[in-house]
Amino acid sequence: MTIGILADLWKYNIATQQWTWVSGSNLASPDGVYGTKGTAAAANMPGGRQAGVLWVDSTGAVWLFGGFGFDSTGTGSPQGAILNDLWKFSGGQWTWVSGDNLADQNGVYGTQTAAAAGNFPGSRWGAVGWTDASNNLWFYGGWGLGSVTTHPNGFLDDVWEYQNSSQQWIWWKGSSDVNQNGQYLTKGIPYVKNVAGARRGASIWQPDQLHYVWIFGGEGYDASNGSAPGYLDDLWTYLPFP
């Protein structure tokens, strides 16, 4: 028995109460096989990883972003490294969609609220994500790298959207740097200057009937400047931009 980071994809049939091994390796800690960006292939496979963001859109496609694990060359082996690759599983095959095939990448944030071909989030694990009615992919926070190459890894508070129509990333809210405190203004009142502090491992609820996303807790930064990170018990709502 080998203990390591896994890359296997499974499906559970509720009617038959049986599991099916769908894709990926049955060995621990495999490197990723990226192939050609934007092209599905039977040999493609994300490397073994943990704490990535996973979405399932309304078409049944599975999407995967980042996490802590193995890139195309096994960077950081045997423990792994921090990833920023975006994958799609559809039609029985994986497609490397966006991001880098090497770990530990800083983000390119571009202009806030503007999609651009050169934008992409930095490597991270422990972010939380949701989808909207147009099958766009959203996520918040995590632990990894911002845009500042001279700063170490840390907790993140940025909100990103992968827009399916343009196939580009949009940085919507939060800082491009790590370890930012929250801005807690008046409780219960939506305000553009409210900012949830940088964190990883929050709990998230998918959008409600009014399209609000709910996020609770995690490990990261509260409103106290200069304080060390800790475990949080704050509840936030976020209304994604149209």
Side-chain angles (χ1 to χ4, degrees):
M1 179 179 67
T2 302
I3 297 174
I5 301 176
L6 303 174
D8 47 348
L9 178 65
W10 290 80
K11 178 180 180 180
Y12 183 73
N13 187 309
I14 296 174
T16 63
Q17 300 182 15
Q18 293 180 335
W19 285 100
T20 301
W21 173 28
V22 176
S23 177
S25 176
N26 63 353
L27 301 176
S29 303
D31 295 343
V33 179
Y34 285 72
T36 301
K37 187 178 287 186
T39 302
N44 290 353
M45 179 188 73
R49 68 192 62 201
Q50 57 186 330
V53 184
L54 186 73
W55 304 265
V56 179
D57 68 25
S58 64
T59 71
V62 176
W63 297 79
L64 174 67
F65 173 80
F68 187 89
F70 297 96
D71 61 14
S72 62
T73 64
T75 300
S77 183
Q79 290 81 20
I82 311 173
L83 305 166
N84 80 328
D85 46 351
L86 178 66
W87 291 82
K88 180 181 181 180
F89 184 79
S90 181
Q93 295 182 337
W94 284 103
T95 302
W96 171 33
V97 175
S98 179
D100 209 283
N101 64 353
L102 297 176
D104 299 329
Q105 300 292 316
N106 286 95
V108 177
Y109 284 68
T111 301
Q112 201 164 36
T113 76
N119 292 354
F120 58 87
S123 299
R124 69 191 65 207
W125 60 272
V128 291
W130 66 95
T131 59
D132 63 22
S134 299
N135 283 331
N136 299 311
L137 312 176
W138 297 75
F139 72 75
Y140 158 73
W143 194 90
L145 293 91
S147 67
V148 184
T149 58
T150 57
H151 289 189
N153 300 339
F155 295 89
L156 297 158
D157 74 336
D158 44 355
V159 176
W160 286 86
E161 176 194 4
Y162 181 76
Q163 189 179 65
N164 260 306
S165 60
S166 67
Q167 299 183 354
Q168 294 176 351
W169 287 100
I170 304 171
W171 166 41
W172 279 109
K173 194 171 179 64
S175 176
S176 61
D177 201 358
V178 298
N179 299 338
Q180 300 296 301
N181 291 105
Q183 301 295 321
Y184 297 72
L185 300 177
T186 304
K187 186 181 291 186
I189 297 178
Y191 187 43
V192 70
K193 292 188 177 181
N194 285 338
V195 178
R199 68 192 68 200
R200 66 184 177 200
S203 297
I204 187 168
W205 291 261
Q206 293 298 305
D208 62 22
Q209 292 180 341
L210 299 177
H211 309 294
Y212 281 88
V213 176
W214 295 70
I215 295 172
F216 173 80
E219 181 184 11
Y221 285 87
D222 60 17
S224 305
N225 289 326
S227 65
Y231 295 105
L232 304 166
D233 71 344
D234 47 351
L235 178 66
W236 290 83
T237 61
Y238 178 70
L239 181 64
F241 290 80

